[in-house]
Amino acid sequence: MLKSRFLKTAALSGALFFALLGAGCGAGSSDTIKIGGDLELTGNNASYGTSTANGAQLAFDEVNSAGGINGKKIEFVKADNKSEPAEAANAITKLTTSDKVSVVLGACTSSNTMAMTQIADDQKVPLVSSFSTNPKVTVNDDGSVNPYVYRVCFIDPFQGTVMGNFATNTLKVKKVAVYIDNSSDYSKGLAHFFEESFTKNGGQIVAEEAYLQKDSDFKATLTKLAAANPDMIYVPGYYEEVGKIIKQARDMGITVPITGGDGWDSSKLVDIAGPDALNNTYFTNHYSVQNKTPEADKFISAYKDKYGQEPDAAAVLGYDAATMIIDAIKRAGSAEPEKINAALAATKDLQLVSGKITIDKNHNPVKQAVIIEFKDGQQLFKQAISPE
C-alpha cells in the first residue's frame, strides 16, 4: 500500500504538467462524447487489457452504428498503462486533464486501478474498472468510499468465499497450501479472503509461500509446499506466472487440485501450462461461455464475428463496463462527468452479459460468480454461485 500511495502522489505532481499540456484543447467536437480507456495494452497483463479494449470497443461501435447517444458518437480514447501502476496513474492524468474525457474505463488489475483512484476523485471524472476485484479499489482503509470510482466485477471477499466453500463442499479438501504473488494487491487480498472462508469451514492452511511477478522458476517453493502434504494448492495469481507454476508443479509430480481466481482467465494460460497440466484445476470467474443466456449468446456471436475468437472474461467485463457507462450517459442526458457520476451511482437492475447488477453503497455490483474447471485445455462450466 505504501508503494501505491507513493505512486498516487507522484502521479498527482504530474497533473499540472498534463493540464498545461492540454490547455486550450477541447473535449472533441460537439458531435462526440470522449470516453477514456486506461488499459494494460502491453506488459505482463496485456492479454487482459487487449480483451477489455476489444469488448468495450464492440459496445461503443454498436451504439455508434445505432446513431450514438442523443445524436453524439462515442470516441474511445485509449492509453496504454503498460501493466504498471505508475504508468496507470500517468495515463489517467493525461486522459482527464489533456484529452478531457467524460469518464474513464479501466484498469484491469487492482494494483493499477488503485494507483488511479485518487486522481479520478481529484479530477472529478468517474472511473469504471472492469476487472479489479480488490475491495480497496472503491473503499479506502478508513471506510470512506471513493466518490468517483466504480466497477462491474465482483469483489475478492465474495470470490474468496466462493472458492473456500467450493474447496470444502465440492472438492472435500481439509488441508490447503497457499502460493501468493507478493507483488500483487489482488493476490494478497484474494488469498486473505480465501483463507478466512476455508478456515471458518474447518479447513487448515498447512503452508504458505510467495513469489513475485516475472519470476520464472518456482520449483524450490513448490517443493516446500508439497512437503506440507496439502490436499489442494491455492494460487490466486495472474495467468503468466500461474501457467508456469502449474506446469512445474505437474512436472514435479504434484497431482493435487490447484485452484485460483479470475486472474487465471486468459487463453495464454493453456499455452503456458499445457492442456494436460491443467487437468484437475479450477478457478472462480465472472462468466462462462457454457452458461447460456440470451445476452451472452448475442455478445459471443458479435465478438466472434468482429475479432475471430471466443471472448474471455476480460472481454465480457470490458463490454459490460462500456454498457454500464453508456447506460449512465443515457440516463444522465449529458456528457458532463458530474452528471454521469450521479447516474453510475444510481445504477439498478442493469442487465449485462455477466448478469444483472445493482451498484451498492460501496460502488460495487451485486452479482454472481461461476466456477470453471479445466479438462484437456478446455474451460468447462462447473457451477454458478450467487451472493447470499
PDB file of all heavy atoms in Angstrom, residues 6-19 21 37-39 79-82 84-99 112 115-117 119:
ATOM      1  N   PHE A   6       2.612   6.158  -2.780  1.00  0.00           N
ATOM      2  CA  PHE A   6       3.706   6.915  -3.377  1.00  0.00           C
ATOM      3  C   PHE A   6       3.437   7.179  -4.852  1.00  0.00           C
ATOM      4  O   PHE A   6       3.627   8.279  -5.358  1.00  0.00           O
ATOM      5  CB  PHE A   6       5.030   6.154  -3.219  1.00  0.00           C
ATOM      6  CG  PHE A   6       6.168   6.778  -3.998  1.00  0.00           C
ATOM      7  CD1 PHE A   6       6.810   7.903  -3.521  1.00  0.00           C
ATOM      8  CD2 PHE A   6       6.552   6.251  -5.225  1.00  0.00           C
ATOM      9  CE1 PHE A   6       7.834   8.483  -4.237  1.00  0.00           C
ATOM     10  CE2 PHE A   6       7.565   6.827  -5.948  1.00  0.00           C
ATOM     11  CZ  PHE A   6       8.221   7.954  -5.449  1.00  0.00           C
ATOM     12  N   LEU A   7       2.935   6.131  -5.541  1.00  0.00           N
ATOM     13  CA  LEU A   7       2.674   6.273  -6.964  1.00  0.00           C
ATOM     14  C   LEU A   7       1.558   7.284  -7.212  1.00  0.00           C
ATOM     15  O   LEU A   7       1.627   8.083  -8.146  1.00  0.00           O
ATOM     16  CB  LEU A   7       2.293   4.913  -7.557  1.00  0.00           C
ATOM     17  CG  LEU A   7       3.434   3.889  -7.602  1.00  0.00           C
ATOM     18  CD1 LEU A   7       2.877   2.524  -7.975  1.00  0.00           C
ATOM     19  CD2 LEU A   7       4.512   4.311  -8.578  1.00  0.00           C
ATOM     20  N   LYS A   8       0.539   7.260  -6.332  1.00  0.00           N
ATOM     21  CA  LYS A   8      -0.543   8.226  -6.481  1.00  0.00           C
ATOM     22  C   LYS A   8      -0.019   9.647  -6.309  1.00  0.00           C
ATOM     23  O   LYS A   8      -0.346  10.564  -7.057  1.00  0.00           O
ATOM     24  CB  LYS A   8      -1.654   7.948  -5.460  1.00  0.00           C
ATOM     25  CG  LYS A   8      -2.432   6.669  -5.723  1.00  0.00           C
ATOM     26  CD  LYS A   8      -3.469   6.480  -4.634  1.00  0.00           C
ATOM     27  CE  LYS A   8      -4.208   5.159  -4.820  1.00  0.00           C
ATOM     28  NZ  LYS A   8      -5.193   4.929  -3.761  1.00  0.00           N
ATOM     29  N   THR A   9       0.812   9.848  -5.288  1.00  0.00           N
ATOM     30  CA  THR A   9       1.356  11.174  -5.020  1.00  0.00           C
ATOM     31  C   THR A   9       2.221  11.642  -6.171  1.00  0.00           C
ATOM     32  O   THR A   9       2.143  12.779  -6.620  1.00  0.00           O
ATOM     33  CB  THR A   9       2.202  11.147  -3.721  1.00  0.00           C
ATOM     34  OG1 THR A   9       1.375  10.701  -2.652  1.00  0.00           O
ATOM     35  CG2 THR A   9       2.730  12.535  -3.405  1.00  0.00           C
ATOM     36  N   ALA A  10       3.045  10.739  -6.689  1.00  0.00           N
ATOM     37  CA  ALA A  10       3.927  11.091  -7.791  1.00  0.00           C
ATOM     38  C   ALA A  10       3.117  11.468  -9.025  1.00  0.00           C
ATOM     39  O   ALA A  10       3.448  12.410  -9.739  1.00  0.00           O
ATOM     40  CB  ALA A  10       4.854   9.922  -8.107  1.00  0.00           C
ATOM     41  N   ALA A  11       2.047  10.699  -9.259  1.00  0.00           N
ATOM     42  CA  ALA A  11       1.230  10.980 -10.431  1.00  0.00           C
ATOM     43  C   ALA A  11       0.527  12.323 -10.303  1.00  0.00           C
ATOM     44  O   ALA A  11       0.413  13.081 -11.270  1.00  0.00           O
ATOM     45  CB  ALA A  11       0.193   9.873 -10.635  1.00  0.00           C
ATOM     46  N   LEU A  12       0.059  12.654  -9.098  1.00  0.00           N
ATOM     47  CA  LEU A  12      -0.626  13.917  -8.881  1.00  0.00           C
ATOM     48  C   LEU A  12       0.287  15.100  -9.131  1.00  0.00           C
ATOM     49  O   LEU A  12      -0.130  16.145  -9.630  1.00  0.00           O
ATOM     50  CB  LEU A  12      -1.185  13.971  -7.457  1.00  0.00           C
ATOM     51  CG  LEU A  12      -2.425  13.112  -7.226  1.00  0.00           C
ATOM     52  CD1 LEU A  12      -2.733  13.030  -5.746  1.00  0.00           C
ATOM     53  CD2 LEU A  12      -3.608  13.670  -7.980  1.00  0.00           C
ATOM     54  N   SER A  13       1.569  14.922  -8.806  1.00  0.00           N
ATOM     55  CA  SER A  13       2.515  16.007  -9.021  1.00  0.00           C
ATOM     56  C   SER A  13       2.696  16.285 -10.503  1.00  0.00           C
ATOM     57  O   SER A  13       3.094  17.380 -10.898  1.00  0.00           O
ATOM     58  CB  SER A  13       3.874  15.654  -8.400  1.00  0.00           C
ATOM     59  OG  SER A  13       4.499  14.625  -9.118  1.00  0.00           O
ATOM     60  N   GLY A  14       2.390  15.274 -11.331  1.00  0.00           N
ATOM     61  CA  GLY A  14       2.490  15.465 -12.773  1.00  0.00           C
ATOM     62  C   GLY A  14       1.221  15.986 -13.405  1.00  0.00           C
ATOM     63  O   GLY A  14       1.197  16.289 -14.593  1.00  0.00           O
ATOM     64  N   ALA A  15       0.161  16.099 -12.616  1.00  0.00           N
ATOM     65  CA  ALA A  15      -1.120  16.511 -13.176  1.00  0.00           C
ATOM     66  C   ALA A  15      -1.051  17.920 -13.768  1.00  0.00           C
ATOM     67  O   ALA A  15      -1.648  18.204 -14.808  1.00  0.00           O
ATOM     68  CB  ALA A  15      -2.218  16.458 -12.106  1.00  0.00           C
ATOM     69  N   LEU A  16      -0.314  18.828 -13.093  1.00  0.00           N
ATOM     70  CA  LEU A  16      -0.201  20.195 -13.581  1.00  0.00           C
ATOM     71  C   LEU A  16       0.432  20.228 -14.965  1.00  0.00           C
ATOM     72  O   LEU A  16       0.017  20.968 -15.846  1.00  0.00           O
ATOM     73  CB  LEU A  16       0.622  21.039 -12.604  1.00  0.00           C
ATOM     74  CG  LEU A  16       0.848  22.508 -13.022  1.00  0.00           C
ATOM     75  CD1 LEU A  16      -0.500  23.217 -13.179  1.00  0.00           C
ATOM     76  CD2 LEU A  16       1.713  23.224 -11.992  1.00  0.00           C
ATOM     77  N   PHE A  17       1.460  19.391 -15.148  1.00  0.00           N
ATOM     78  CA  PHE A  17       2.129  19.329 -16.453  1.00  0.00           C
ATOM     79  C   PHE A  17       1.140  18.965 -17.546  1.00  0.00           C
ATOM     80  O   PHE A  17       1.078  19.612 -18.593  1.00  0.00           O
ATOM     81  CB  PHE A  17       3.265  18.309 -16.423  1.00  0.00           C
ATOM     82  CG  PHE A  17       3.817  17.983 -17.793  1.00  0.00           C
ATOM     83  CD1 PHE A  17       4.667  18.860 -18.435  1.00  0.00           C
ATOM     84  CD2 PHE A  17       3.466  16.803 -18.426  1.00  0.00           C
ATOM     85  CE1 PHE A  17       5.162  18.568 -19.692  1.00  0.00           C
ATOM     86  CE2 PHE A  17       3.964  16.510 -19.685  1.00  0.00           C
ATOM     87  CZ  PHE A  17       4.812  17.389 -20.313  1.00  0.00           C
ATOM     88  N   PHE A  18       0.351  17.911 -17.289  1.00  0.00           N
ATOM     89  CA  PHE A  18      -0.588  17.469 -18.313  1.00  0.00           C
ATOM     90  C   PHE A  18      -1.701  18.494 -18.514  1.00  0.00           C
ATOM     91  O   PHE A  18      -2.206  18.673 -19.609  1.00  0.00           O
ATOM     92  CB  PHE A  18      -1.187  16.107 -17.949  1.00  0.00           C
ATOM     93  CG  PHE A  18      -0.252  14.966 -18.211  1.00  0.00           C
ATOM     94  CD1 PHE A  18       0.283  14.224 -17.166  1.00  0.00           C
ATOM     95  CD2 PHE A  18       0.112  14.643 -19.504  1.00  0.00           C
ATOM     96  CE1 PHE A  18       1.154  13.181 -17.415  1.00  0.00           C
ATOM     97  CE2 PHE A  18       0.969  13.599 -19.761  1.00  0.00           C
ATOM     98  CZ  PHE A  18       1.496  12.863 -18.716  1.00  0.00           C
ATOM     99  N   ALA A  19      -2.087  19.167 -17.419  1.00  0.00           N
ATOM    100  CA  ALA A  19      -3.114  20.194 -17.534  1.00  0.00           C
ATOM    101  C   ALA A  19      -2.631  21.325 -18.436  1.00  0.00           C
ATOM    102  O   ALA A  19      -3.361  21.840 -19.294  1.00  0.00           O
ATOM    103  CB  ALA A  19      -3.488  20.727 -16.159  1.00  0.00           C
ATOM    104  N   LEU A  21      -0.271  21.061 -20.651  1.00  0.00           N
ATOM    105  CA  LEU A  21      -0.132  20.488 -21.985  1.00  0.00           C
ATOM    106  C   LEU A  21      -1.456  20.518 -22.724  1.00  0.00           C
ATOM    107  O   LEU A  21      -1.516  20.782 -23.932  1.00  0.00           O
ATOM    108  CB  LEU A  21       0.361  19.043 -21.889  1.00  0.00           C
ATOM    109  CG  LEU A  21       0.612  18.304 -23.208  1.00  0.00           C
ATOM    110  CD1 LEU A  21       1.780  18.950 -23.940  1.00  0.00           C
ATOM    111  CD2 LEU A  21       0.899  16.838 -22.939  1.00  0.00           C
ATOM    112  N   GLY A  37      -9.868   5.070 -22.016  1.00  0.00           N
ATOM    113  CA  GLY A  37      -9.550   3.691 -21.645  1.00  0.00           C
ATOM    114  C   GLY A  37      -8.133   3.628 -21.108  1.00  0.00           C
ATOM    115  O   GLY A  37      -7.176   3.834 -21.858  1.00  0.00           O
ATOM    116  N   ASP A  38      -7.985   3.397 -19.814  1.00  0.00           N
ATOM    117  CA  ASP A  38      -6.662   3.267 -19.169  1.00  0.00           C
ATOM    118  C   ASP A  38      -6.422   1.772 -18.989  1.00  0.00           C
ATOM    119  O   ASP A  38      -6.864   1.161 -18.014  1.00  0.00           O
ATOM    120  CB  ASP A  38      -6.679   3.991 -17.823  1.00  0.00           C
ATOM    121  CG  ASP A  38      -5.302   4.088 -17.181  1.00  0.00           C
ATOM    122  OD1 ASP A  38      -4.480   3.183 -17.407  1.00  0.00           O
ATOM    123  OD2 ASP A  38      -5.059   5.050 -16.422  1.00  0.00           O
ATOM    124  N   LEU A  39      -5.698   1.170 -19.950  1.00  0.00           N
ATOM    125  CA  LEU A  39      -5.680  -0.290 -20.047  1.00  0.00           C
ATOM    126  C   LEU A  39      -4.282  -0.865 -20.247  1.00  0.00           C
ATOM    127  O   LEU A  39      -3.379  -0.194 -20.746  1.00  0.00           O
ATOM    128  CB  LEU A  39      -6.582  -0.734 -21.201  1.00  0.00           C
ATOM    129  CG  LEU A  39      -8.059  -0.355 -21.059  1.00  0.00           C
ATOM    130  CD1 LEU A  39      -8.785  -0.529 -22.377  1.00  0.00           C
ATOM    131  CD2 LEU A  39      -8.711  -1.171 -19.965  1.00  0.00           C
ATOM    132  N   ALA A  79      -5.347   4.676 -23.648  1.00  0.00           N
ATOM    133  CA  ALA A  79      -3.992   4.957 -23.175  1.00  0.00           C
ATOM    134  C   ALA A  79      -3.417   3.672 -22.600  1.00  0.00           C
ATOM    135  O   ALA A  79      -4.073   2.994 -21.802  1.00  0.00           O
ATOM    136  CB  ALA A  79      -4.003   6.064 -22.117  1.00  0.00           C
ATOM    137  N   ASP A  80      -2.206   3.345 -22.977  1.00  0.00           N
ATOM    138  CA  ASP A  80      -1.545   2.118 -22.526  1.00  0.00           C
ATOM    139  C   ASP A  80      -0.855   2.360 -21.182  1.00  0.00           C
ATOM    140  O   ASP A  80       0.059   3.175 -21.083  1.00  0.00           O
ATOM    141  CB  ASP A  80      -0.512   1.685 -23.571  1.00  0.00           C
ATOM    142  CG  ASP A  80       0.207   0.397 -23.206  1.00  0.00           C
ATOM    143  OD1 ASP A  80      -0.218  -0.295 -22.251  1.00  0.00           O
ATOM    144  OD2 ASP A  80       1.203   0.072 -23.888  1.00  0.00           O
ATOM    145  N   ASN A  81      -1.309   1.639 -20.143  1.00  0.00           N
ATOM    146  CA  ASN A  81      -0.640   1.776 -18.841  1.00  0.00           C
ATOM    147  C   ASN A  81       0.522   0.798 -18.671  1.00  0.00           C
ATOM    148  O   ASN A  81       1.136   0.749 -17.597  1.00  0.00           O
ATOM    149  CB  ASN A  81      -1.645   1.655 -17.690  1.00  0.00           C
ATOM    150  CG  ASN A  81      -2.301   0.290 -17.611  1.00  0.00           C
ATOM    151  OD1 ASN A  81      -1.669  -0.742 -17.816  1.00  0.00           O
ATOM    152  ND2 ASN A  81      -3.599   0.269 -17.297  1.00  0.00           N
ATOM    153  N   LYS A  82       0.797   0.004 -19.705  1.00  0.00           N
ATOM    154  CA  LYS A  82       1.966  -0.872 -19.754  1.00  0.00           C
ATOM    155  C   LYS A  82       2.009  -1.883 -18.601  1.00  0.00           C
ATOM    156  O   LYS A  82       3.063  -2.391 -18.246  1.00  0.00           O
ATOM    157  CB  LYS A  82       3.252  -0.050 -19.785  1.00  0.00           C
ATOM    158  CG  LYS A  82       3.315   0.923 -20.946  1.00  0.00           C
ATOM    159  CD  LYS A  82       4.565   1.785 -20.905  1.00  0.00           C
ATOM    160  CE  LYS A  82       4.543   2.812 -22.042  1.00  0.00           C
ATOM    161  NZ  LYS A  82       5.726   3.707 -22.004  1.00  0.00           N
ATOM    162  N   GLU A  84       1.678  -1.348 -15.472  1.00  0.00           N
ATOM    163  CA  GLU A  84       2.434  -0.809 -14.347  1.00  0.00           C
ATOM    164  C   GLU A  84       1.618   0.264 -13.627  1.00  0.00           C
ATOM    165  O   GLU A  84       1.040   1.144 -14.274  1.00  0.00           O
ATOM    166  CB  GLU A  84       3.747  -0.183 -14.831  1.00  0.00           C
ATOM    167  CG  GLU A  84       4.710  -1.153 -15.511  1.00  0.00           C
ATOM    168  CD  GLU A  84       5.368  -2.108 -14.525  1.00  0.00           C
ATOM    169  OE1 GLU A  84       5.283  -1.857 -13.308  1.00  0.00           O
ATOM    170  OE2 GLU A  84       5.971  -3.100 -14.979  1.00  0.00           O
ATOM    171  N   PRO A  85       1.565   0.225 -12.269  1.00  0.00           N
ATOM    172  CA  PRO A  85       0.796   1.230 -11.534  1.00  0.00           C
ATOM    173  C   PRO A  85       1.191   2.673 -11.838  1.00  0.00           C
ATOM    174  O   PRO A  85       0.326   3.540 -11.995  1.00  0.00           O
ATOM    175  CB  PRO A  85       1.068   0.868 -10.073  1.00  0.00           C
ATOM    176  CG  PRO A  85       1.335  -0.603 -10.098  1.00  0.00           C
ATOM    177  CD  PRO A  85       2.082  -0.833 -11.380  1.00  0.00           C
ATOM    178  N   ALA A  86       2.489   2.964 -11.903  1.00  0.00           N
ATOM    179  CA  ALA A  86       2.923   4.336 -12.183  1.00  0.00           C
ATOM    180  C   ALA A  86       2.438   4.803 -13.543  1.00  0.00           C
ATOM    181  O   ALA A  86       2.014   5.958 -13.714  1.00  0.00           O
ATOM    182  CB  ALA A  86       4.445   4.429 -12.100  1.00  0.00           C
ATOM    183  N   GLU A  87       2.481   3.917 -14.528  1.00  0.00           N
ATOM    184  CA  GLU A  87       2.015   4.261 -15.865  1.00  0.00           C
ATOM    185  C   GLU A  87       0.496   4.425 -15.894  1.00  0.00           C
ATOM    186  O   GLU A  87      -0.040   5.249 -16.644  1.00  0.00           O
ATOM    187  CB  GLU A  87       2.459   3.205 -16.870  1.00  0.00           C
ATOM    188  CG  GLU A  87       3.954   3.130 -17.097  1.00  0.00           C
ATOM    189  CD  GLU A  87       4.517   4.353 -17.800  1.00  0.00           C
ATOM    190  OE1 GLU A  87       3.737   5.110 -18.417  1.00  0.00           O
ATOM    191  OE2 GLU A  87       5.741   4.558 -17.743  1.00  0.00           O
ATOM    192  N   ALA A  88      -0.209   3.621 -15.078  1.00  0.00           N
ATOM    193  CA  ALA A  88      -1.666   3.753 -14.996  1.00  0.00           C
ATOM    194  C   ALA A  88      -2.047   5.122 -14.451  1.00  0.00           C
ATOM    195  O   ALA A  88      -2.995   5.764 -14.925  1.00  0.00           O
ATOM    196  CB  ALA A  88      -2.241   2.640 -14.125  1.00  0.00           C
ATOM    197  N   ALA A  89      -1.303   5.586 -13.443  1.00  0.00           N
ATOM    198  CA  ALA A  89      -1.548   6.912 -12.876  1.00  0.00           C
ATOM    199  C   ALA A  89      -1.263   7.999 -13.903  1.00  0.00           C
ATOM    200  O   ALA A  89      -2.029   8.966 -14.049  1.00  0.00           O
ATOM    201  CB  ALA A  89      -0.685   7.106 -11.636  1.00  0.00           C
ATOM    202  N   ASN A  90      -0.168   7.872 -14.638  1.00  0.00           N
ATOM    203  CA  ASN A  90       0.154   8.847 -15.677  1.00  0.00           C
ATOM    204  C   ASN A  90      -0.912   8.869 -16.765  1.00  0.00           C
ATOM    205  O   ASN A  90      -1.282   9.932 -17.279  1.00  0.00           O
ATOM    206  CB  ASN A  90       1.516   8.529 -16.304  1.00  0.00           C
ATOM    207  CG  ASN A  90       2.673   8.818 -15.376  1.00  0.00           C
ATOM    208  OD1 ASN A  90       2.550   9.642 -14.462  1.00  0.00           O
ATOM    209  ND2 ASN A  90       3.798   8.160 -15.591  1.00  0.00           N
ATOM    210  N   ALA A  91      -1.401   7.682 -17.134  1.00  0.00           N
ATOM    211  CA  ALA A  91      -2.380   7.583 -18.217  1.00  0.00           C
ATOM    212  C   ALA A  91      -3.691   8.256 -17.854  1.00  0.00           C
ATOM    213  O   ALA A  91      -4.268   8.992 -18.657  1.00  0.00           O
ATOM    214  CB  ALA A  91      -2.613   6.120 -18.582  1.00  0.00           C
ATOM    215  N   ILE A  92      -4.181   8.032 -16.626  1.00  0.00           N
ATOM    216  CA  ILE A  92      -5.459   8.656 -16.257  1.00  0.00           C
ATOM    217  C   ILE A  92      -5.295  10.162 -16.098  1.00  0.00           C
ATOM    218  O   ILE A  92      -6.213  10.942 -16.381  1.00  0.00           O
ATOM    219  CB  ILE A  92      -6.069   8.023 -14.989  1.00  0.00           C
ATOM    220  CG1 ILE A  92      -7.525   8.497 -14.827  1.00  0.00           C
ATOM    221  CG2 ILE A  92      -5.245   8.332 -13.747  1.00  0.00           C
ATOM    222  CD1 ILE A  92      -8.277   7.837 -13.694  1.00  0.00           C
ATOM    223  N   THR A  93      -4.119  10.590 -15.679  1.00  0.00           N
ATOM    224  CA  THR A  93      -3.865  12.026 -15.593  1.00  0.00           C
ATOM    225  C   THR A  93      -3.966  12.662 -16.977  1.00  0.00           C
ATOM    226  O   THR A  93      -4.597  13.715 -17.156  1.00  0.00           O
ATOM    227  CB  THR A  93      -2.479  12.292 -14.981  1.00  0.00           C
ATOM    228  OG1 THR A  93      -2.424  11.744 -13.671  1.00  0.00           O
ATOM    229  CG2 THR A  93      -2.197  13.781 -14.902  1.00  0.00           C
ATOM    230  N   LYS A  94      -3.354  12.030 -17.962  1.00  0.00           N
ATOM    231  CA  LYS A  94      -3.420  12.549 -19.335  1.00  0.00           C
ATOM    232  C   LYS A  94      -4.848  12.522 -19.871  1.00  0.00           C
ATOM    233  O   LYS A  94      -5.320  13.491 -20.481  1.00  0.00           O
ATOM    234  CB  LYS A  94      -2.511  11.734 -20.251  1.00  0.00           C
ATOM    235  CG  LYS A  94      -2.557  12.164 -21.720  1.00  0.00           C
ATOM    236  CD  LYS A  94      -1.660  11.290 -22.567  1.00  0.00           C
ATOM    237  CE  LYS A  94      -1.704  11.716 -24.041  1.00  0.00           C
ATOM    238  NZ  LYS A  94      -3.064  11.555 -24.616  1.00  0.00           N
ATOM    239  N   LEU A  95      -5.551  11.409 -19.632  1.00  0.00           N
ATOM    240  CA  LEU A  95      -6.909  11.274 -20.159  1.00  0.00           C
ATOM    241  C   LEU A  95      -7.848  12.345 -19.596  1.00  0.00           C
ATOM    242  O   LEU A  95      -8.688  12.885 -20.307  1.00  0.00           O
ATOM    243  CB  LEU A  95      -7.458   9.883 -19.847  1.00  0.00           C
ATOM    244  CG  LEU A  95      -6.861   8.718 -20.633  1.00  0.00           C
ATOM    245  CD1 LEU A  95      -7.275   7.385 -20.015  1.00  0.00           C
ATOM    246  CD2 LEU A  95      -7.274   8.773 -22.102  1.00  0.00           C
ATOM    247  N   THR A  96      -7.699  12.620 -18.299  1.00  0.00           N
ATOM    248  CA  THR A  96      -8.635  13.550 -17.655  1.00  0.00           C
ATOM    249  C   THR A  96      -8.257  15.015 -17.843  1.00  0.00           C
ATOM    250  O   THR A  96      -9.136  15.879 -17.894  1.00  0.00           O
ATOM    251  CB  THR A  96      -8.758  13.240 -16.157  1.00  0.00           C
ATOM    252  OG1 THR A  96      -7.459  13.261 -15.547  1.00  0.00           O
ATOM    253  CG2 THR A  96      -9.400  11.882 -15.931  1.00  0.00           C
ATOM    254  N   THR A  97      -6.958  15.324 -17.922  1.00  0.00           N
ATOM    255  CA  THR A  97      -6.551  16.735 -17.995  1.00  0.00           C
ATOM    256  C   THR A  97      -6.231  17.205 -19.402  1.00  0.00           C
ATOM    257  O   THR A  97      -6.464  18.364 -19.734  1.00  0.00           O
ATOM    258  CB  THR A  97      -5.323  16.996 -17.099  1.00  0.00           C
ATOM    259  OG1 THR A  97      -4.215  16.217 -17.574  1.00  0.00           O
ATOM    260  CG2 THR A  97      -5.607  16.637 -15.649  1.00  0.00           C
ATOM    261  N   SER A  98      -5.701  16.333 -20.242  1.00  0.00           N
ATOM    262  CA  SER A  98      -5.327  16.719 -21.601  1.00  0.00           C
ATOM    263  C   SER A  98      -6.390  16.304 -22.608  1.00  0.00           C
ATOM    264  O   SER A  98      -6.854  17.115 -23.418  1.00  0.00           O
ATOM    265  CB  SER A  98      -3.978  16.109 -21.974  1.00  0.00           C
ATOM    266  OG  SER A  98      -3.605  16.448 -23.288  1.00  0.00           O
ATOM    267  N   ASP A  99      -6.801  15.029 -22.559  1.00  0.00           N
ATOM    268  CA  ASP A  99      -7.800  14.538 -23.510  1.00  0.00           C
ATOM    269  C   ASP A  99      -9.219  14.963 -23.148  1.00  0.00           C
ATOM    270  O   ASP A  99     -10.111  14.893 -23.994  1.00  0.00           O
ATOM    271  CB  ASP A  99      -7.726  13.018 -23.601  1.00  0.00           C
ATOM    272  CG  ASP A  99      -6.409  12.535 -24.179  1.00  0.00           C
ATOM    273  OD1 ASP A  99      -5.954  13.133 -25.176  1.00  0.00           O
ATOM    274  OD2 ASP A  99      -5.813  11.591 -23.627  1.00  0.00           O
ATOM    275  N   ASN A 112      -3.070  -1.521 -10.477  1.00  0.00           N
ATOM    276  CA  ASN A 112      -3.104  -0.410 -11.431  1.00  0.00           C
ATOM    277  C   ASN A 112      -4.277   0.519 -11.151  1.00  0.00           C
ATOM    278  O   ASN A 112      -4.139   1.744 -11.195  1.00  0.00           O
ATOM    279  CB  ASN A 112      -3.177  -0.942 -12.858  1.00  0.00           C
ATOM    280  CG  ASN A 112      -1.897  -1.609 -13.294  1.00  0.00           C
ATOM    281  OD1 ASN A 112      -0.842  -1.384 -12.710  1.00  0.00           O
ATOM    282  ND2 ASN A 112      -1.967  -2.434 -14.322  1.00  0.00           N
ATOM    283  N   ALA A 115      -3.856   2.779  -8.161  1.00  0.00           N
ATOM    284  CA  ALA A 115      -2.972   3.922  -8.421  1.00  0.00           C
ATOM    285  C   ALA A 115      -3.698   5.050  -9.152  1.00  0.00           C
ATOM    286  O   ALA A 115      -3.158   6.148  -9.288  1.00  0.00           O
ATOM    287  CB  ALA A 115      -1.766   3.469  -9.242  1.00  0.00           C
ATOM    288  N   MET A 116      -4.917   4.792  -9.602  1.00  0.00           N
ATOM    289  CA  MET A 116      -5.683   5.762 -10.383  1.00  0.00           C
ATOM    290  C   MET A 116      -6.793   6.439  -9.595  1.00  0.00           C
ATOM    291  O   MET A 116      -7.265   7.516  -9.978  1.00  0.00           O
ATOM    292  CB  MET A 116      -6.313   5.045 -11.588  1.00  0.00           C
ATOM    293  CG  MET A 116      -5.332   4.439 -12.556  1.00  0.00           C
ATOM    294  SD  MET A 116      -6.087   3.136 -13.588  1.00  0.00           S
ATOM    295  CE  MET A 116      -7.465   3.988 -14.337  1.00  0.00           C
ATOM    296  N   THR A 117      -7.240   5.813  -8.507  1.00  0.00           N
ATOM    297  CA  THR A 117      -8.487   6.244  -7.877  1.00  0.00           C
ATOM    298  C   THR A 117      -8.432   7.675  -7.323  1.00  0.00           C
ATOM    299  O   THR A 117      -9.390   8.434  -7.472  1.00  0.00           O
ATOM    300  CB  THR A 117      -8.887   5.276  -6.752  1.00  0.00           C
ATOM    301  OG1 THR A 117      -7.826   5.173  -5.800  1.00  0.00           O
ATOM    302  CG2 THR A 117      -9.177   3.897  -7.314  1.00  0.00           C
ATOM    303  N   ILE A 119      -6.687  10.136  -8.339  1.00  0.00           N
ATOM    304  CA  ILE A 119      -6.682  11.087  -9.452  1.00  0.00           C
ATOM    305  C   ILE A 119      -8.102  11.266  -9.999  1.00  0.00           C
ATOM    306  O   ILE A 119      -8.535  12.380 -10.280  1.00  0.00           O
ATOM    307  CB  ILE A 119      -5.712  10.620 -10.546  1.00  0.00           C
ATOM    308  CG1 ILE A 119      -4.291  10.530  -9.977  1.00  0.00           C
ATOM    309  CG2 ILE A 119      -5.742  11.562 -11.752  1.00  0.00           C
ATOM    310  CD1 ILE A 119      -3.311   9.774 -10.834  1.00  0.00           C
TER     311      ILE A 119
END
